């Protein structure tokens, strides 16, 4: 074998190997949006969340890209990702809203935390309200506190293996009106235990239904109300929930692609 032929062979083997690798890794790609210019406790959460999810990419199982530029919420960028994560922000203008809606209606995935579901009378985006289950922000507890949570359904992939109840670390908790649970297409997985009531010192949630984790079964989406301050990733039970939610929301897209782990 002459030198030239050997070199060609090496190149072919390298190309074949990299082609095979590309077919397997990454299994999926996540684009996480976050802002550095919002409430400091929401920035703290985003910084912790980015570290947490980046740590899970060990072995190139998936790609976790981040951006603070909401203009990245456009068709050309989104087509490269199987999941959009909103850590502490939401679309800012009509073109970003349109791109997000189109992405979700075509089988895209969404994993939202805390303020990403915030909406009030001034939001004026009926599609988002429907997407989230019809709940407008109603009230919150203050200061941020740990809470006893109830696991509503232990058979769902997101909550399988969790205890009936657990104490979730310090967070600011939101209550919605009406409760998303009232919608048929909303599946509530975790909610605030009534044993917390009256909940708060300055601002108080006195009573009522308070879903914390839910999915709209018309979309590939999941929402977790956690996302305030630097304690969110300090509890193993909650970390397990957060990871299970990622696995579940990426697992099957509406085009029938199933990602096995
Ligand atoms: Zn907050």
């Amino acid at each position: 074998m002459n030198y030239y032929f050997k070199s060609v062979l090496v190149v072919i083997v390298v190309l074949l190997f990299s082609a095979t690798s590309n077919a397997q890794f990454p299994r999926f790609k996540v684009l996480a949006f976050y802002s550095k210019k919002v409430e400091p406790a929401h920035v703290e959460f985003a910084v912790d969340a980015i570290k947490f999810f980046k740590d899970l990419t060990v072995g190139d199982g998936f790609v976790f890209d981040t951006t603070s530029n909401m203009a990245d919420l456009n068709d050309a960028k989104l087509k490269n990702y199987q999941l959009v994560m909103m850590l502490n922000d939401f679309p800012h203008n009509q073109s970003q809203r349109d791109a997000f809606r189109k992405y979700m209606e075509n089988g895209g995935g969404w994993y939202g935390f805390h303020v990403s579901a915030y909406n009030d009378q001034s939001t004026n985006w009926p599609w988002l309200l429907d997407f989230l289950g019809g709940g407008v922000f109603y009230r919150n507890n203050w200061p941020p506190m740990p809470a006893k949570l109830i696991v509503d359904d232990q058979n769902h992939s997101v909550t399988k293996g969790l205890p009936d109840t657990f104490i979730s670390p310090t967070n600011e908790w939101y209550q919605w009106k009406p409760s998303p649970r009232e919608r048929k297409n909303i599946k509530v997985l975790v909610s605030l235990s009534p044993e917390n009531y009256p909940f708060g010192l300055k601002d108080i949630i006195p009573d009522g239904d308070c879903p914390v984790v839910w999915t709209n079964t018309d979309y590939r989406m999941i929402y977790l109300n956690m996302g305030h301050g630097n304690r969110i990733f300090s509890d193993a039970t909650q970390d397990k929930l957060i990871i299970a939610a990622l696995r579940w929301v990426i697992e099957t897209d509406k085009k029938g692609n199933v990602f096995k782990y």
Side-chain angles (χ1 to χ4, degrees):
M1 210 183 282
N2 66 32
Y3 175 76
Y4 174 77
F5 186 71
K6 268 188 199 162
S7 304
V8 170
L9 201 63
V10 165
V11 168
I12 288 172
V13 167
V14 167
L15 283 174
L16 274 175
F17 181 75
S18 58
T20 311
S21 299
N22 286 339
Q24 292 177 335
F25 302 105
R27 294 178 187 230
F28 58 90
K29 292 177 73 176
V30 179
L31 181 59
F33 289 83
Y34 72 108
S35 173
K36 301 167 194 162
K37 296 174 185 161
V38 290
E39 196 174 333
H42 294 176
V43 178
E44 280 181 337
F45 164 73
V47 169
D48 286 354
I50 289 167
K51 182 178 185 318
F52 181 82
F53 287 110
K54 284 263 186 198
D55 283 351
L56 296 178
T57 66
V58 167
D60 295 333
F62 68 104
V63 169
F64 188 81
D65 288 337
T66 63
T67 177
S68 295
N69 181 12
M70 195 54 74
D72 282 337
L73 202 58
N74 64 67
D75 296 353
K77 182 88 175 178
L78 295 184
K79 74 172 168 27
N80 300 312
Y81 294 91
Q82 285 74 43
L83 185 69
V84 165
M85 193 177 275
M86 283 284 166
L87 295 173
N88 63 7
D89 209 355
F90 32 72
H92 296 164
N93 60 37
Q94 194 59 46
S95 82
Q96 294 160 11
R97 287 180 172 191
D98 290 347
F100 178 60
R101 177 179 176 173
K102 185 175 167 191
Y103 177 74
M104 291 310 301
E105 289 182 341
N106 285 282
W110 183 78
Y111 190 153
F113 289 95
H114 198 53
V115 78
S116 67
Y118 182 88
N119 73 93
D120 59 25
Q121 302 303 341
S122 68
T123 303
N124 197 24
W125 189 9
W127 181 84
L128 181 78
L129 188 59
D130 192 57
F131 175 74
L132 294 169
V136 176
F137 173 80
Y138 180 40
R139 54 193 175 188
N140 62 301
N141 70 295
W142 199 262
M145 291 178 174
K148 183 173 182 178
L149 302 185
I150 294 172
V151 177
D152 290 83
D153 179 355
Q154 287 176 304
N155 296 317
H156 196 280
S157 303
V158 172
T159 43
K160 205 167 63 179
L162 296 183
D164 298 348
T165 64
F166 67 98
I167 305 297
S168 176
T170 298
N171 187 47
E172 177 198 19
W173 304 91
Y174 296 162
Q175 192 176 39
W176 313 87
K177 195 174 186 179
S179 167
R181 199 191 304 268
E182 293 178 20
R183 290 268 179 101
K184 279 200 190 74
N185 59 349
I186 298 297
K187 174 82 178 157
V188 176
L189 299 170
V190 178
S191 46
L192 202 67
S193 168
E195 290 177 59
N196 295 296
Y197 299 147
F199 190 44
L201 295 168
K202 176 181 168 288
D203 296 328
I204 293 171
I205 302 176
D207 52 28
D209 187 27
C210 193
V212 164
V213 178
W214 69 84
T215 177
N216 178 337
T217 57
D218 292 339
Y219 297 93
R220 188 161 62 85
M221 66 84 90
I222 191 150
Y223 173 71
L224 275 67
N225 190 228
M226 298 83 173
H228 185 108
N230 61 4
R231 304 292 298 157
I232 301 301
F233 298 96
S234 64
D235 178 81
T237 302
Q238 181 150 294
D239 289 353
K240 176 171 166 45
L241 166 67
I242 291 168
I243 294 168
L246 173 67
R247 288 176 59 115
W248 176 78
V249 77
I250 201 70
E251 217 158 50
T252 307
D253 69 24
K254 297 235 163 149
K255 291 172 194 152
N257 299 313
V258 177
F259 298 91
K260 291 280 181 200
Y261 298 93

